[in-house]
Amino acid sequence: MSLLNITNLHAAVDESEILKGISLTVNAGEVHAIMGPNGSGKSTLAQVLAGHPAYEVTQGTVTLEGEDLLDMEAEERAWAGVFLAFQYPVEIPGVTNAYFLRMAYNEVRKARGLDELDPMEFLDLLEEKLKVVEWGPEIMERAVNFGFSGGEKKRNEILQMAVLEPKLAILDETDSGLDIDALRIVADGVNKLRSPERAIILVTHYQRLLDYIVPDFVHVLAGGKIVKSGGKELALELEAKGYEWLTGIPEAAAV
Amino acid sequence: MTTIAAVPPFAELLDAPRPAEPAWLAARRAAAAERFAAVGVPSSRDEDWRFTPVSAIANTAWTAPGVSPEVTAADIARFRLSTGSLAVLVDGRFAPDLSELPAGVTASSLHAAISEGNAELESHLGLVAPIAMSPFVALSLATFTDGVVLHLAEGTTLATPLEVMHLTTTAAEGALIAPRVFVTAGTGARGAILEQFVSLADTLHVTNAVTELVLAPESWVEHVRVQRESEQAWHLGFTHAEQATASHYRSFALSLGAKLARHNLHARLGGEQVETLMYGLYLTRDSQLADTHSAIFHDQPNCNSWEVYKGVLDDTSRAVFNGKVFVQPIAQKTDAKQTNRNLLLSDTARVDTKPQLEIFADDVKCTHGATVGRLNDLQRYYLQTRGIGGRTAQELLIWAFAAEVLTEVTIAPVRAAIEQIVRNRLDEMLG
């Protein structure tokens, strides 16, 4: 059984249809890149999978390990093993990163019938996870994403992914706004988290990220549909030719 | 304009015979009684009470509290905020058996201090909080029977905070409870006072509490005030800090009790380099109303005041916030910042918030901000995607909202006790 099965997915926001029939199968251990011009529906697909309440699924099915994902609340999807790294991580002043991460970890554990960790036990776990993003413990006492630089926010998303150990991680424009050093740290972090049990979907506009995280499959999204799928070489082709040869629309006009 | 009730609601108390008192006090009481008789209980036509309906207080003939039932140390243990010294007032009367006054400082019941003769009282009692400020301040001076006096001598530090517990019992039903607290801090003295208003029984009474604080130069006073009275009660509180040069007054007020609670918090910055910090949190539910009227008088240059009040409101409850800042022409280089933020948990809760800055100096930095909002949907969604859903997410976000002011209580065990009180109330509110 494949991990994720998307069949003929249509989704709308404010009655305007954005996804117009997406079908995609992702197996455990695979890394899929979803590329496409601005406005093609990439981020919408990511949010629909994570369970954003503003998006309405009008047609189609999505299953995770055979379970109906669309029937679950966002937190239930997290418990089931879905993780979305946000393009714009949300600031939560007043809650420390340490408290937030432990709570998230324990909520997921609880839902899976596992024991919760107390603060000391969690600290030990965290020490290992912080290495994934090359961070020291000082970041844990800061409020979640509050006053973080763009790079720190993206690193924090990857740290959360490391802690929550999802089956399916969706990374939405994780490379946007990163300088080259931050991009390397974030990409290294993601590579450390690649595993035969885990699938990763990379949503990105540019090929740049794929130099660091090499995908198994590349899909091009345009006008709410997948217009072309291929191997990693497809990304290079897009880099060279732009999106216009696939979409027929000059990219500036598609914004 | 207010009208005088045909039969003053506090007539019995105003006319009650009193043990002999010093002439200065008798004169102040007479002036206060006269003042109250002239102004009476405010109506909603009174600008200061526009959103806070207290006129119904005038419909009841409030009495003095009856004989209080026995209160044991075990009864009050669960309310403690600290393990330090304690002064207990049961239905407004000092309870020596329950109290452990701090050693090495002057601390006593107000009644005892008056009887013994006390120069500080004669200089200040009833004058720090002027009777013209509010009808209820006048009523307090005219009717108070007891309270607590704390004097920190020059250069001394109070080792552990003095906790003043205002406790009501079944004997408070139908009564006016009128305690007064009087604190003086000598030059360079430091200390903390924790005032708490709690009820052992769910009585309908009026608490009319006045606290006066006099801070000498370079003194440092932290004042924590927790109001969690019976939700049938009327709570009227008035706090005034009179601050001399380079003194530091730091206030934290938590309001979660009473049917209607009004707290006036005033500070007069009467010297240079004064610092005044006012933090507050109110949590309201059902048809409760919590009103904070603060007034900061910048009378001298080079002073800072900083105020942050937050509120969480559920059901059909209401909150009122009025923040006055007066900057006199001489008070150049004033730095004053005021913030009031409110979180509504229901569609029927309501907040009336109003900054009132009157600035007569031209080289000052004064800012204010007020917000009324709901839980942030994007934050909720973000937490959900991390497995934190439903009530847990809601509680976490409300906590995050409130935590900013709770962290301003500097004494760690007291802060922990207050956090627990807030957590318990949020638990109840979220059901």
Side-chain angles (χ1 to χ4, degrees):
Chain A
M1 184 175 53
S2 52
L3 178 70
L4 178 73
N5 240 312
I6 304 174
T7 311
N8 190 31
L9 182 66
H10 291 248
V13 63
D14 294 334
E15 294 179 18
S16 141
E17 190 170 59
I18 297 173
L19 301 185
K20 299 173 179 170
I22 289 183
S23 296
L24 177 68
T25 299
V26 177
N27 293 304
E30 294 175 351
V31 174
H32 290 242
I34 304 222
M35 304 187 68
N38 291 330
S40 59
K42 300 186 303 283
S43 282
T44 298
L45 176 62
Q47 295 292 354
V48 166
L49 293 178
H52 195 299
Y55 296 92
E56 192 198 347
V57 173
T58 51
Q59 241 190 90
T61 59
V62 179
T63 60
L64 185 81
E65 296 183 308
E67 298 285 320
D68 182 0
L69 198 66
L70 300 178
D71 197 34
M72 300 180 200
E73 296 291 334
E75 65 268 28
E76 293 172 319
R77 299 182 195 200
W79 302 338
V82 175
F83 177 87
L84 171 65
F86 280 55
Q87 180 177 7
Y88 304 108
V90 178
E91 298 187 352
I92 309 183
V95 179
T96 64
N97 229 5
Y99 188 84
F100 166 68
L101 272 175
R102 184 166 64 87
M103 186 177 248
Y105 180 81
N106 279 336
E107 287 295 307
V108 170
R109 298 265 298 181
K110 203 160 67 183
R112 293 177 187 168
L114 300 169
D115 285 342
E116 297 177 42
L117 295 191
D118 69 30
M120 292 312 291
E121 293 169 326
F122 184 70
L123 220 55
D124 291 341
L125 174 97
L126 205 53
E127 209 173 312
E128 288 305 306
K129 303 297 183 184
L130 281 165
K131 290 179 190 159
V132 172
V133 286
E134 300 173 33
W135 249 344
E138 60 282 353
I139 197 76
M140 301 315 295
E141 289 316 308
R142 290 171 61 184
V144 181
N145 296 327
F146 186 61
F148 281 31
S149 69
E152 286 175 327
K153 284 181 179 172
K154 297 298 174 76
R155 270 163 96 174
N156 209 24
E157 295 293 284
I158 303 307
L159 174 63
Q160 291 169 39
M161 175 179 161
V163 168
L164 296 177
E165 299 186 323
K167 291 174 185 156
L168 172 68
I170 306 151
L171 278 54
D172 189 8
E173 305 276 6
T174 292
D175 52 331
S176 68
L178 294 187
D179 63 29
I180 201 74
D181 292 327
L183 178 63
R184 183 196 54 78
I185 291 171
V186 164
D188 282 355
V190 174
N191 282 329
K192 286 175 204 160
L193 296 172
R194 284 179 84 152
S195 98
E197 290 81 42
R198 179 169 298 137
I200 297 174
I201 297 177
L202 302 169
V203 173
T204 181
H205 184 96
Y206 300 105
Q207 193 268 339
R208 184 176 76 147
L209 179 68
L210 308 183
D211 288 341
Y212 294 88
I213 310 170
V214 180
D216 301 304
F217 302 95
V218 173
H219 311 276
V220 180
L221 201 61
K225 287 180 179 172
I226 292 177
V227 294
K228 192 167 179 64
S229 293
K232 62 186 176 215
E233 63 288 347
L234 177 57
L236 296 169
E237 205 174 344
L238 284 166
E239 182 77 356
K241 299 186 185 172
Y243 288 110
E244 196 178 340
W245 66 284
L246 284 173
T247 62
I249 310 162
E251 199 176 334
V255 173
Chain B
M1 283 300 291
T2 50
T3 52
I4 303 166
V7 179
F10 301 101
E12 185 190 321
L13 296 157
L14 289 163
D15 299 341
R18 251 170 243 300
E21 286 180 335
W24 62 264
L25 180 55
R28 280 179 211 173
R29 281 195 190 269
E34 197 177 317
R35 170 79 190 175
F36 183 72
V39 294
V41 173
S43 78
S44 54
R45 290 188 301 276
D46 191 322
E47 186 57 31
D48 258 357
W49 297 87
R50 208 171 130 208
F51 301 110
T52 308
V54 288
S55 56
I57 290 176
N59 299 337
T60 301
W62 303 97
T63 62
V67 177
S68 304
E70 193 195 347
V71 175
T72 65
D75 291 331
I76 58 173
R78 65 191 163 104
F79 295 117
R80 294 289 314 258
L81 296 176
S82 72
T83 51
S85 52
L86 176 68
V88 180
L89 294 158
V90 177
D91 298 318
R93 292 170 290 230
F94 183 70
D97 295 347
L98 296 170
S99 303
E100 297 165 50
L101 292 174
V105 295
T106 310
S108 71
S109 82
L110 179 56
H111 182 71
I114 291 167
S115 310
E116 288 159 14
N118 178 311
E120 294 280 359
L121 284 178
E122 187 171 348
S123 309
H124 297 295
L125 186 75
L127 305 178
V128 175
I131 56 172
M133 273 292 178
S134 155
F136 295 112
V137 173
L139 179 67
S140 162
L141 190 58
T143 60
F144 81 87
T145 48
D146 210 344
V148 172
V149 174
L150 173 67
H151 175 63
L152 305 175
E154 185 177 333
T156 58
T157 296
L158 187 63
T160 59
L162 171 63
E163 186 168 350
V164 176
M165 193 180 291
H166 301 275
L167 184 89
T168 59
T169 70
T170 49
E173 183 68 34
L176 169 71
I177 314 293
R180 285 185 82 103
V181 172
F182 181 77
V183 178
T184 49
T187 301
R190 295 174 69 91
I193 181 160
L194 318 172
E195 266 198 280
Q196 216 187 162
F197 297 85
V198 295
S199 296
L200 284 179
D202 203 19
T203 51
L204 169 50
H205 61 266
V206 176
T207 290
N208 185 33
V210 172
T211 297
E212 294 173 301
L213 304 104
V214 181
L215 279 71
E218 290 168 25
S219 62
W220 188 102
V221 173
E222 178 164 4
H223 182 198
V224 171
R225 187 182 201 275
V226 175
Q227 186 279 110
R228 40 176 174 157
E229 288 208 70
S230 152
E231 286 176 41
Q232 306 294 316
W234 302 86
H235 178 92
L236 306 162
F238 197 101
T239 302
H240 184 112
E242 193 70 30
Q243 294 187 254
T245 303
S247 64
H248 175 105
Y249 174 66
R250 178 183 193 101
S251 158
F252 171 83
L254 173 66
S255 178
L256 38 76
K259 170 179 63 184
L260 180 149
R262 161 70 169 249
H263 184 216
N264 276 69
L265 175 58
H266 294 197
R268 185 175 302 280
L269 288 59
E272 294 197 34
Q273 311 294 344
V274 168
E275 196 162 51
T276 306
L277 305 174
M278 295 176 173
Y279 298 98
L281 176 67
Y282 40 89
L283 305 175
T284 58
R285 61 182 172 189
D286 301 327
S287 57
Q288 280 185 302
L289 185 153
D291 173 349
T292 302
H293 267 60
S294 66
I296 300 173
F297 302 92
H298 278 271
D299 284 5
Q300 295 295 328
N302 299 310
C303 295
N304 299 334
S305 67
W306 178 271
E307 180 175 25
V308 184
Y309 264 73
K310 291 195 162 188
V312 181
L313 294 86
D314 201 0
D315 305 321
T316 57
S317 66
R318 297 183 60 168
V320 179
F321 180 84
N322 180 284
K324 295 186 177 75
V325 178
F326 299 100
V327 182
Q328 294 302 320
I330 190 182
Q332 299 295 0
K333 305 287 181 194
T334 287
D335 189 348
K337 183 167 184 189
Q338 176 191 99
T339 310
N340 174 234
R341 300 203 185 287
N342 298 277
L343 186 56
L344 304 183
L345 302 182
S346 81
D347 294 335
T348 45
R350 180 191 156 121
V351 177
D352 293 288
T353 177
K354 181 180 158 196
Q356 199 177 325
L357 276 55
E358 296 185 23
I359 300 163
F360 303 102
D362 53 13
D363 183 16
V364 300
K365 207 163 83 186
C366 295
T367 62
H368 64 85
T371 58
V372 180
R374 291 171 195 287
L375 284 178
N376 182 314
D377 286 339
L378 193 57
Q379 290 180 338
R380 279 175 93 155
Y381 170 57
Y382 188 68
L383 291 176
Q384 281 183 292
T385 64
R386 299 322 185 229
I388 305 167
R391 195 194 139 134
T392 314
Q394 209 179 355
E395 206 165 335
L396 181 66
L397 290 176
I398 298 171
W399 183 255
F401 173 81
E404 187 196 345
V405 285
L406 297 176
T407 55
E408 296 297 339
V409 177
T410 69
I411 308 155
V414 175
R415 183 171 63 239
I418 288 172
E419 285 177 350
Q420 195 54 53
I421 294 168
V422 171
R423 278 191 193 282
N424 291 348
R425 174 52 59 92
L426 287 179
D427 240 21
E428 289 172 22
M429 282 167 74
L430 296 175

